[in-house]
Amino acid sequence: MTNEISFFQNPEGTQEEILEATFYALRQHGYADLTISKIGDEFEKSQSLIYHHYDNKDELLVDLLDYMLEQVESQVPLPNQSPEEYIEIIVDEMFGTNGNNNLEFTQAIIELRAQAAHDDNYGRLFRRSDDFIRKQIARAIRAGVDAGAFDVENPSQTAALFHTVLIGIQTEQITSDEEPIDYTRAEFQRYIENCLFPE
Amino acid sequence: MTNEISFFQNPEGTQEEILEATFYALRQHGYADLTISKIGDEFEKSQSLIYHHYDNKDELLVDLLDYMLEQVESQVPLPNQSPEEYIEIIVDEMFGTNGNNNLEFTQAIIELRAQAAHDDNYGRLFRRSDDFIRKQIARAIRAGVDAGAFDVENPSQTAALFHTVLIGIQTEQITSDEEPIDYTRAEFQRYIENCLFPE
């Protein structure tokens, strides 16, 4: 999720090199026009190696998605700072203002999420990842409640809205200008002040 | 956006019949596997009529999207009831609990939104529609502020968060179970009570 797509800066082994080539080919051609042959064009080794590992493009893309979602999950901040700092960090992550935003990464994720309507192998991975992120956020909010920093009755409920706004921003970013997203952020900040912090 | 996809119940003329066939073919095959020939299979008249109107599938899908977004826009409630009732109606619309939710309609919309990453003809339509919806909601909130029903400083900002949550729910619905969406709704309701209504 960095500008350099750093998770591919040092691909380890053939498998990761194939996933890297798949990501670049997906970015360039989109899901619909993607073929193993086009992935081969982005791959420095022999195309036959791809066929050795994968039977078809969906098998490959599901593996790529798994890999990408692991990156996303690893970026959900752990609650090892003050609750107030945690909220600041998570909001920066959500709105991509941490310098780590990569629109092409997000676009690829949304394109693969749309595939879940036709192939539940994608859906299964998104459900796992979405649940993980919601639970991480809920855990941090619960810690803040225990510490008396937040006044929230149901941290899972609060985390669910955080997650929906995160996904909404990701989806809006494909098409939107910056202004509406800045507006959403300002209003979300108002929600945090009025609904998370005690009066 | 209704269960019967009522906007196609009485297609008027060949053009609308082509769009109807395109919607059903898109729903069945997905964007990637869609061809004019598969659209022809859903079309009761001669396939040559489709080629008479359209050069390729994207031209046809952009027209379908335009048509679908008009349906979405027409469902944004007008502020011709009390501000409190308006909020209730708009939240029902957002969370698809008005009996008009159609998951397949929403899935098709998200799939076409993902195409905006590769073809700005889709992006242009989404920007127009998103702006329209945000402005309609902002107008209604402003009317509520004027009537003393809401205590909101910047209605456009509030409308932007409503819109992001709407898009987030649409996108999450592709993969999500019901529970997280119910949680989001409960928390969004808490936001409305704390951030829209005066204390």
Side-chain angles (χ1 to χ4, degrees), chain B residues 22-53:
Chain B
T22 306
F23 176 79
Y24 286 114
L26 175 64
R27 193 175 72 160
Q28 195 179 332
H29 303 288
Y31 175 87
D33 293 331
L34 193 67
T35 59
I36 299 261
S37 162
K38 283 175 182 162
I39 295 168
D41 293 342
E42 305 284 331
F43 187 53
E44 286 178 5
K45 298 180 183 167
S46 158
Q47 190 163 316
S48 66
L49 273 171
I50 304 178
Y51 286 105
H52 179 74
H53 283 85

Side-chain angles (χ1 to χ4, degrees), chain A residues 3-5 21-31 34 42 64 102-105 107-108 111, chain B residues 117-118:
Chain A
N3 282 317
E4 298 299 314
I5 318 201
T22 307
F23 175 78
Y24 286 115
L26 175 64
R27 195 174 72 161
Q28 195 179 332
H29 305 287
Y31 174 87
L34 193 67
E42 303 286 331
L64 173 65
N102 187 290
L103 183 59
E104 288 174 334
F105 186 101
Q107 284 174 340
E111 200 164 351
Chain B
H118 309 289

Side-chain angles (χ1 to χ4, degrees), chain A residues 26-33 57 107 110-111 113-118 122-124 126-127 130-131 134 151-154 156-161 163-169 171-172 174-177 180-184 186-188 190-191 194-196 199, chain B residues 26-33 57 107 110-111 113-118 122-124 126-127 130-131 134 151-154 156-161 163-169 171-172 174-177 180-184 186-188 190-191 194-196 199:
Chain A
L26 175 64
R27 195 174 72 161
Q28 195 179 332
H29 305 287
Y31 174 87
D33 293 329
K57 86 170 179 185
Q107 284 174 340
I110 296 293
E111 200 164 351
R113 199 183 275 266
Q115 291 311 314
H118 309 289
Y122 295 98
R124 194 175 32 81
F126 277 111
R127 275 192 296 281
D130 290 351
D131 281 350
R134 282 191 202 99
D151 183 16
V152 160
E153 258 186 53
N154 186 339
S156 298
Q157 193 177 290
T158 304
L161 182 60
H163 190 265
T164 299
V165 171
L166 165 67
I167 301 300
I169 289 294
T171 310
E172 283 183 311
I174 304 175
T175 51
S176 186
D177 307 317
I181 291 175
D182 290 345
Y183 272 19
T184 295
E187 187 70 2
F188 194 67
R190 203 165 78 86
Y191 151 74
N194 285 290
C195 293
L196 261 70
E199 285 183 56
Chain B
L26 175 64
R27 193 175 72 160
Q28 195 179 332
H29 303 288
Y31 175 87
D33 293 331
K57 86 170 178 186
Q107 284 174 341
I110 296 294
E111 200 164 351
R113 198 183 276 266
Q115 292 310 314
H118 309 289
Y122 295 97
R124 193 174 35 80
F126 277 110
R127 275 192 296 279
D130 290 351
D131 281 350
R134 283 191 202 99
D151 182 14
V152 160
E153 257 185 54
N154 186 338
S156 299
Q157 193 177 289
T158 303
L161 182 60
H163 190 265
T164 300
V165 171
L166 164 68
I167 301 299
I169 288 295
T171 310
E172 283 183 311
I174 304 176
T175 52
S176 186
D177 308 317
I181 291 174
D182 289 346
Y183 272 19
T184 295
E187 187 70 3
F188 193 67
R190 204 166 76 87
Y191 151 75
N194 284 289
C195 294
L196 261 71
E199 287 182 55

Side-chain angles (χ1 to χ4, degrees), chain A residues 60-100:
Chain A
L60 186 36
L61 283 171
V62 166
D63 255 21
L64 173 65
L65 177 62
D66 196 10
Y67 193 82
M68 290 174 84
L69 290 177
E70 270 176 33
Q71 304 297 324
V72 173
E73 289 168 22
S74 74
Q75 284 180 24
V76 182
L78 294 168
N80 51 10
Q81 52 274 308
S82 79
E84 294 82 356
E85 280 168 343
Y86 182 87
I87 289 296
E88 219 173 285
I89 293 169
I90 192 88
V91 171
D92 277 346
E93 289 277 346
M94 287 168 66
F95 289 88
T97 42
N98 52 359
N100 283 339

Side-chain angles (χ1 to χ4, degrees), chain B residues 39-83:
Chain B
I39 295 168
D41 293 342
E42 305 284 331
F43 187 53
E44 286 178 5
K45 298 180 183 167
S46 158
Q47 190 163 316
S48 66
L49 273 171
I50 304 178
Y51 286 105
H52 179 74
H53 283 85
Y54 295 98
D55 284 338
N56 58 57
K57 86 170 178 186
D58 279 305
E59 214 176 273
L60 184 35
L61 283 172
V62 166
D63 254 22
L64 173 65
L65 178 62
D66 196 12
Y67 193 81
M68 290 174 85
L69 290 177
E70 269 175 33
Q71 305 296 322
V72 173
E73 289 167 22
S74 73
Q75 284 180 24
V76 181
L78 293 169
N80 50 10
Q81 52 275 308
S82 80

